[in-house]
Amino acid sequence: MTENASVPGPRRDMAMHNDWWVSGWEHVLPRQGFPLTMLIGTASQPGFTGTLDDLLHEIFDGHWDMIGGDLDSPLTFSWPDEEWDYEAAPEGREACEADRWKQFSATLTTAGFPVPATVRDLSELYLTWGLARREETPAGTRWSMPTALPLPGDLLPLDDELVKRLDGIRWTMRTGPLVETLIDYLLNDLGEPEETFTSLDRLAAAMDQDVDDVRIALAELVESGDAQLQRGEEPADAERLEAHRRFRLFMDWEHFHKHRIQLSRGD
């Protein structure tokens, strides 16, 4: 994923790793994890050789507010200029920040990793964790990132609540596009039917999708209360349906429109 940032200097394309959001690191790391990942992603592009400091100077004249200034800026879990949400965190910014640091420090210490204090420290942890690679070449320093980022839970002892939340986020990001494709077909091609007599392979062929992807989308709709599947008089399980078996898909459009954003397809 590439973000075109309006910044001075010859390099205007900031690159963000596609795996950042689905991996869940933004829910574990201090807030500078996001811009640091973007900076390393940009340094990993072909045509750039140098340190992260070099890139920071090239694009931002050495100071980037989003990262807190430069690589030696202290890490924080909140944006210093953001309006504090006292309903979500009535204890206030300082107490919330202290609690986040306590949890973060304990997690890293338990796993045997040093607790980073600055953005530069965090970049070194990225190398330790395999989120990034740094190589010294005859032309200079080269940064790179793996195609798939390691998951936080593979490296750190996360609490059960956070593990459950990250699993939910990854599942939603996996199923979201599949559900959108199915809903788009039901809304725009079939005209929002309350009942559809079909099969997995028929749906897949009509939408030019994989049968297993259609199965996942149907299972998600049932799980969220938007749909029911039925064979004869009995409920049907999308995960166990044979691809050619016909079933009835009952959509609860009132529930769908109440709990989901309505999709529309551009011409």
Side-chain angles (χ1 to χ4, degrees), residues 38-52:
M38 188 182 295
L39 192 67
I40 295 175
T42 305
S44 300
Q45 294 181 99
F48 177 79
T49 301
T51 67
L52 297 182

Side-chain angles (χ1 to χ4, degrees), residues 187-209:
L187 284 174
N188 296 294
D189 290 87
L190 299 188
E192 198 170 311
E194 294 185 3
E195 178 183 340
T196 306
F197 188 50
T198 186
S199 64
L200 289 171
D201 53 8
R202 285 171 179 262
L203 285 173
M207 297 185 295
D208 193 24
Q209 298 291 308

Side-chain angles (χ1 to χ4, degrees), residues 28-30 77 99-109 115-116:
V28 175
L29 298 177
F77 281 93
D99 185 58
R100 291 293 302 275
W101 270 110
K102 182 180 179 181
Q103 295 177 29
F104 183 60
S105 299
T107 299
L108 265 65
T109 300
V115 180

Side-chain angles (χ1 to χ4, degrees), residues 22-185:
V22 72
S23 68
W25 280 105
E26 66 175 326
H27 301 278
V28 175
L29 298 177
R31 67 166 180 87
Q32 286 95 338
F34 172 76
L36 175 61
T37 304
M38 188 182 295
L39 192 67
I40 295 175
T42 305
S44 300
Q45 294 181 99
F48 177 79
T49 301
T51 67
L52 297 182
D53 294 280
D54 293 335
L55 184 61
L56 202 61
H57 278 279
E58 183 175 318
I59 302 181
F60 299 102
D61 290 334
H63 184 93
W64 189 16
D65 286 340
M66 193 172 183
I67 214 165
D70 57 28
L71 296 178
D72 294 312
S73 299
L75 296 169
T76 62
F77 281 93
S78 62
W79 299 89
D81 56 348
E82 70 178 334
E83 182 178 348
W84 192 254
D85 186 349
Y86 283 95
E87 290 188 8
E91 68 272 25
R93 186 192 306 276
E94 290 185 6
C96 185
E97 186 81 9
D99 185 58
R100 291 293 302 275
W101 270 110
K102 182 180 179 181
Q103 295 177 29
F104 183 60
S105 299
T107 299
L108 265 65
T109 300
T110 299
F113 297 113
V115 180
T118 67
V119 180
R120 192 181 305 279
D121 294 340
L122 185 57
S123 72
E124 292 299 318
L125 271 180
Y126 272 40
L127 297 172
T128 301
W129 289 336
L131 272 72
R133 305 185 187 97
R134 183 178 59 202
E135 180 185 7
E136 298 301 328
T137 72
T141 304
R142 282 287 299 142
W143 284 83
S144 62
M145 301 186 77
T147 302
L149 297 180
L151 301 180
D154 292 340
L155 299 167
L156 302 173
L158 306 180
D159 63 70
D160 292 342
E161 182 179 345
L162 181 55
V163 169
K164 183 177 180 180
R165 182 152 59 98
L166 295 184
D167 286 345
I169 291 171
R170 280 191 283 271
W171 176 251
T172 298
M173 295 190 74
R174 165 76 173 101
T175 62
L178 307 181
V179 171
E180 288 181 10
T181 300
L182 176 56
I183 290 298
D184 183 76
Y185 172 70

Side-chain angles (χ1 to χ4, degrees), residues 197 228-236 246-250:
F197 188 50
Q228 292 182 5
L229 306 183
Q230 193 169 307
R231 274 185 51 79
E233 299 298 323
E234 299 296 324
R246 303 292 291 272
F247 60 89
R248 296 188 185 278
L249 166 62
F250 295 95

Side-chain angles (χ1 to χ4, degrees), residues 183 186-188 191-193 221 225-226 251-264:
I183 290 298
L186 294 173
L187 284 174
N188 296 294
E192 198 170 311
L221 286 176
D226 292 325
M251 287 295 301
D252 186 341
W253 291 110
E254 182 178 352
H255 184 278
F256 170 82
H257 290 302
K258 183 178 180 180
H259 293 92
R260 293 181 186 259
I261 298 174
Q262 185 167 344
L263 305 176
S264 61

